[in-house]
Amino acid sequence: MRTEKLSNVYDALVIGAGFSGLYQLHKLRDELGLKVAVIEKGAGVGGTWYWNRYPGARCDSESQGYAYFFSRQLHENWQWSERYPGNAEIRKYLNYVADSLNLRKDIFFNKTVSNCSFSEYTELWEIQTEDFDALYCKWLVTAVGCLSATNVPNITGISRFKGDWYHTGKWPHNDVDFNGLRVGQIGTGSTGIQAVPEIAKTCEHLTVFQRTPNYSIPAHNTKWDATYTDWVRSHYDELKALVRSTSNGHPFRISNNLTMEVSDEERQKMFERAWNDGGLRFRGVFHDLLTSQTANSAAADFIKSKIRQKVTDPKTADILTNIDHPYAAKRPPIDTYYFETFNKDHVTLVDIQTDPIAEITRNGIALEGGAHHELDVIVFATGYDAMTKPLLNLNIETPKTSLKSYWEGGPRNYLGLAIPGFPNLFTITGPGSPSVLSNMPVSIEQHVDWITECIAYCIETGCTSIEAQEQSAEIWTDHVRKTADATLLPKVQHSWYLGANIPGKPRVFMPYAGGLNTYRKICDNIAEEGYKGFVLNSEKTHKTSKPSDFIFSEGVSLGV
Ligand code: NA7
């Protein structure tokens, strides 16, 4: 089919206009010269950050690393204002990028994909949208994010609640005014921990319903001064080299020190220093925090003692420190006065692990033990159906199979990038890639660069379709599982990394825990060797490489 003749036929379509989709559009359109469009559900760019506007919504990656590094010019003409970028500033940044690269003209906004089906006859993907449009493309790239399908738990009675309720991941675009209101918040993950201190600032009363207590490290957020801003702008090369070489894509290195190889006194001093550094840097204090239970317990005890020092009421401190999982085995939150907020008279902590929620009533939340909490507003900080749901929501299918049936037992793919049976489809930061265990923009750039080179290779070599082999997916999925099993990561009851937060979801550890630097080498090797493990079809050749040819010889350098 001659794509240039028809307005709704593209070389490539990209779904989502966040960090991934914007960069992918730029690469395919401006570097490869393809006809490309982005389909975006929201009315503006931002992706996950377009929707995440809840009080306190802020990235836990540090600003100097939470950005694109593909363009020196973009880097040098931008300045962040704080140590961690707030949600509004991230949207401003992505709008700045979209404007600088003139991306907006090729983005369809307010358009939701309802179905993606591959035709074996035309070898094109047909993308249907909820407004009954159909677009066609040869290359389909999903840029839908890992945390974009919200999880509102199915609690009896929600429809009869007479007040307003919100999910943090779909926050209204106007400010929500909590003045004079009794607010109930369910959920104490990274999001809930950010929201609590902010909501408490204005509401009349805040009741926090906690199922699983969580570790949290002080963020020590601060405004950047001019000296630091100038330093960041003038150190593009160093920062780029740093984030592209670390195991987690963050602009700091995880120490090589082992927790138990230093004296007790030295260990305490090191934890204390790391605590004062704050944020995700705390995780970097020792190398083995996620591979040794003894090491992890030492960190956990240190954090629990800090929480006890902050919280004045011993009963509340007990509920907050009754933590059942290893530190950082769940996504490790960072906070600004989270624990201290429970010292305020108008903030109450309710332990719903011992006394679960029975139902939502017209006026609040009732617990199984009989207590009733009167509320005007409920905030669900209950997280996401992470990683797989944003992809499953696209209803991806071919005449032979659908993604829903292929992933019935959990996600299976090759490198987190490609799925057997689904030709010419690429999934940016899909399950099976470092994604949520890394600093996302760095992982995104790595994926977009790889996908772009792969498409360029196909075009140059006359390949009409590329598809991951089944055996490659089996080997990779097994490698992802074994890598996680070598760590403490799967040892958590309710972890969204495992899909365990969603009733009925297959329990599979989804992100790749082998480290972004290791993963990058694996992906590069596979590309250099002519896309090993993929089937490449062309009119002239039919090339298949043996998946057993690729060996993950790099070893595991934990990316968490
Ligand atoms: P998370 O980390 O999944 O946290 C969700 C919270 O909501 C967590 O405390 C859950 O408790 C709680 N939750 C979920 N369902 C229920 C029900 N049914 N009843 C009570 N409590 C519930 O999501 P976040 O939005 O905080 O963070 C997601 C990521 O966004 C984060 O890691 C950053 O990368 C950005 P549980 O622990 O399951 O017992």
Side-chain angles (χ1 to χ4, degrees):
M1 191 176 287
R2 296 277 302 276
T3 59
E4 68 273 18
K5 294 275 181 207
L6 297 167
S7 65
N8 63 347
V9 182
Y10 293 82
D11 295 312
L13 286 169
V14 179
I15 307 174
F19 266 98
S20 313
L22 294 180
Y23 182 40
Q24 187 66 82
L25 168 61
H26 168 61
K27 288 287 278 188
L28 294 177
R29 185 193 69 179
D30 302 334
E31 284 190 16
L32 299 194
L34 302 184
K35 180 181 170 188
V36 191
V38 172
I39 307 170
E40 167 56 51
K41 187 194 272 193
V45 302
T48 305
W49 290 109
Y50 177 81
W51 305 101
N52 262 284
R53 298 166 189 243
Y54 62 86
R58 186 177 289 286
C59 187
D60 47 16
S61 294
E62 293 179 7
S63 300
Q64 75 274 24
Y66 198 75
Y68 293 115
F69 281 95
F70 67 86
S71 158
R72 177 185 298 277
Q73 206 184 351
L74 280 179
H75 179 90
E76 289 178 351
N77 290 334
W78 174 259
Q79 67 183 59
W80 295 106
S81 65
E82 294 174 86
R83 177 173 173 183
Y84 305 94
N87 71 90
E89 195 166 30
I90 298 171
R91 280 191 296 282
K92 199 169 157 197
Y93 172 72
L94 289 172
N95 275 287
Y96 150 76
V97 171
D99 290 337
S100 305
L101 301 175
N102 197 16
L103 299 177
R104 228 176 281 278
K105 71 183 177 66
D106 291 308
I107 304 174
F108 294 108
F109 290 106
N110 299 306
K111 228 175 176 43
T112 303
V113 170
S114 53
N115 181 276
C116 305
S117 51
F118 183 74
S119 159
E120 287 176 339
Y121 174 64
T122 60
E123 288 200 321
L124 292 179
W125 282 95
E126 177 179 348
I127 314 304
Q128 290 174 352
T129 59
E130 282 181 1
D131 55 356
F132 304 107
D133 217 345
L135 305 170
Y136 299 84
C137 64
K138 181 166 185 55
W139 312 102
L140 177 60
V141 184
T142 65
V144 288
C146 298
L147 299 164
S148 50
T150 52
N151 166 39
V152 179
N154 186 15
I155 301 175
T156 312
I158 183 142
S159 58
R160 63 172 179 255
F161 182 60
K162 75 173 192 315
D164 290 324
W165 65 265
Y166 308 98
H167 187 283
T168 47
K170 270 231 163 122
W171 202 257
H173 288 194
N174 53 312
D175 279 344
V176 176
D177 185 3
F178 292 115
N179 251 301
L181 298 179
R182 296 160 302 175
V183 182
Q185 180 183 303
I186 304 175
T188 53
S190 301
T191 300
I193 281 175
Q194 285 186 334
V196 160
E198 289 303 312
I199 295 175
K201 279 182 186 164
T202 55
C203 70
E204 184 182 304
H205 194 275
L206 175 62
T207 309
V208 180
F209 297 88
Q210 174 195 276
R211 185 163 69 182
T212 309
N214 230 325
Y215 303 95
S216 182
I217 308 297
H220 299 314
N221 189 29
T222 178
K223 293 260 181 236
W224 276 4
D225 61 21
T227 316
Y228 191 61
T229 305
D230 289 346
W231 184 90
V232 169
R233 288 166 79 167
S234 59
H235 284 73
Y236 168 74
D237 292 316
E238 290 88 333
L239 282 166
K240 178 176 170 178
L242 180 61
V243 295
R244 291 191 176 181
S245 63
T246 54
S247 59
N248 52 20
H250 286 286
F252 59 86
R253 296 199 187 278
I254 291 180
S255 146
N256 283 324
N257 291 322
L258 298 179
T259 314
M260 292 301 155
E261 282 189 1
V262 298
S263 69
D264 292 357
E265 195 188 343
E266 184 57 20
R267 188 181 316 117
Q268 283 306 107
K269 272 193 199 151
M270 288 167 81
F271 278 140
E272 200 69 53
R273 271 200 301 274
W275 183 263
N276 292 332
D277 285 347
L280 296 177
R281 284 174 191 259
F282 183 86
R283 156 68 192 96
V285 61
F286 289 112
H287 191 73
D288 53 350
L289 290 188
L290 272 162
T291 45
S292 154
Q293 184 57 63
T294 314
N296 195 286
S297 297
D301 289 345
F302 176 85
I303 301 168
K304 286 179 192 173
S305 74
K306 286 290 185 188
I307 299 171
R308 289 193 174 281
Q309 283 168 27
K310 286 172 186 241
V311 179
T312 47
D313 173 40
K315 237 175 103 187
T316 305
D318 283 347
I319 302 171
L320 288 166
T321 52
N322 184 23
I323 308 176
D324 63 350
H325 56 272
Y327 162 66
K330 286 179 109 169
R331 172 85 177 198
I334 67 174
D335 72 277
T336 302
Y337 303 126
Y338 172 65
F339 295 110
E340 293 86 340
T341 302
F342 292 100
N343 297 334
K344 293 181 189 282
D345 290 339
H346 72 299
V347 178
T348 311
L349 180 66
V350 174
D351 179 5
I352 56 169
Q353 201 172 68
T354 52
D355 189 2
I357 293 175
E359 59 173 345
I360 296 177
T361 66
R362 202 173 133 67
N363 300 316
I365 291 182
L367 305 185
E368 285 181 4
H372 185 266
H373 296 271
E374 297 277 325
L375 302 169
D376 303 305
V377 179
I378 299 175
V379 172
F380 287 93
T382 43
Y384 300 87
D385 189 339
M387 306 201 78
T388 48
K389 189 66 173 174
L391 291 166
L392 293 171
N393 277 346
L394 302 174
N395 292 311
I396 298 171
E397 60 189 16
T398 72
K400 294 196 187 90
T401 186
S402 69
L403 190 59
K404 272 198 182 86
S405 66
Y406 188 70
W407 279 5
E408 210 172 4
R412 277 192 299 150
N413 60 20
Y414 187 33
L415 303 174
L417 273 165
I419 310 161
F422 300 86
N424 302 344
L425 168 71
F426 299 97
T427 52
I428 302 176
T429 64
S433 72
S435 57
V436 293
L437 295 181
S438 69
N439 182 25
M440 284 301 265
V442 182
S443 272
I444 285 167
E445 279 195 337
Q446 185 260 336
H447 264 190
V448 170
D449 290 344
W450 193 94
I451 291 167
T452 307
E453 276 167 32
C454 178
I455 291 175
Y457 177 87
C458 289
I459 292 169
E460 274 162 35
T461 57
C463 154
T464 51
S465 80
I466 180 165
E467 188 184 325
Q469 283 183 270
E470 181 60 46
Q471 206 190 336
S472 314
E474 260 171 46
I475 294 172
W476 181 253
T477 305
D478 193 49
H479 178 65
V480 170
R481 183 182 53 75
K482 283 187 180 142
T483 306
D485 284 348
T487 73
L488 303 174
L489 286 163
K491 299 193 188 320
V492 188
Q493 274 285 318
H494 293 286
S495 164
W496 60 259
Y497 290 158
L498 277 159
N501 60 328
I502 304 295
K505 186 166 174 172
R507 209 180 158 95
V508 172
F509 192 85
M510 294 182 287
Y512 177 59
L516 180 54
N517 45 1
T518 303
Y519 174 81
R520 186 188 294 274
K521 281 188 206 154
I522 293 171
C523 292
D524 288 350
N525 287 345
I526 284 167
E528 273 160 28
E529 303 210 5
Y531 295 92
K532 276 197 167 157
F534 287 90
V535 182
L536 290 93
N537 286 309
S538 79
E539 278 149 24
K540 295 182 211 119
T541 57
H542 178 86
K543 189 182 152 211
T544 307
S545 55
K546 287 195 213 112
S548 54
D549 286 355
F550 62 76
I551 306 162
F552 310 121
S553 56
E554 306 294 341
V556 169
S557 63
L558 284 179
V560 285

